[in-house]
Amino acid sequence: MARIACLHTADGNIAIFDDALSASGLVGMTLRHAVRADLLAAAEREGGLTPGLVAETAAALGALCAGADAVLLTCSTLGPAAAIAARDAPVPVLRVDAALAAAAVAEGGRVVVLCAVETTIAPTRHLFEEAARATGAVVDVRWVPGAWDAFKAGDIPRYLALIAAAGDAALRTGATRVAFAQASMAGAAARVGGEPPPLTSPVAGLRAAAAAVRGG
């Protein structure tokens, strides 16, 4: 049984990843969850990642390696810390949005990536543009105004509605693929009426973790 430890920055992501595991068809995998909302809150206060936050996140990821076969960082704002943690980790340390980026740009075209948190924009753009170099995809990273305020206020229906509306708008204006950068956005995918359906990170990340465990 593969043991996957997940580092989240929102309590709601626990259910999202448990549901994603059920929907993925993956078997022989169990999830363990840790939530560090303080790390994302600090990044928002600082206007983005600082060296201190990278180090603190990397340390949290390293601590989760004990008793795990792989570790998943589910927060896109903190994503760059995964590479730091992975250098000396005894098990694979992955960021879920890296798997999302690879899937989104695989067929080239115009990829619109939606972000709810402003601090996510810079690391997300870097990640997707790096992945797109191999396929020639054109990446357009967009912020969804008001979405994160709704999330923090506990108004999840409005949060998901704003994201779904942005997804529909992206498809109407020529996107060949839409990707939701943050795991908490996954519930909006079913509300988008256009085709193809948006890509979300939880299932992509879990599949990447399974592959990493098999490869290890």
Side-chain angles (χ1 to χ4, degrees), residues 2 4 29 69-72 92 94 99 203-215:
I4 311 300
M29 178 185 289
D69 297 304
V71 175
L72 280 177
L94 311 169
V203 171
L206 291 172
R207 286 178 175 160
V213 171
R214 289 195 300 269

Side-chain angles (χ1 to χ4, degrees), residues 109-176:
R110 180 170 173 241
V111 178
V112 172
V113 189
L114 299 179
C115 301
V117 185
E118 288 184 272
T119 53
T120 295
I121 294 172
T124 295
R125 179 177 288 114
H126 176 76
L127 179 68
F128 274 75
E129 288 180 349
E130 283 288 312
R133 290 180 182 177
T135 66
V138 176
V139 174
D140 178 5
V141 179
R142 302 178 183 177
W143 174 55
V144 183
W148 196 239
D149 288 337
F151 182 90
K152 290 192 293 184
D155 191 349
I156 303 304
R158 175 167 171 74
Y159 175 62
L160 297 178
L162 288 169
I163 293 161
D168 279 324
L171 290 170
R172 285 197 306 270
T173 55
T176 55

Side-chain angles (χ1 to χ4, degrees), residues 50-65:
T50 64
L53 274 174
V54 170
E56 190 173 357
T57 303
L61 291 166
L64 287 175
C65 291

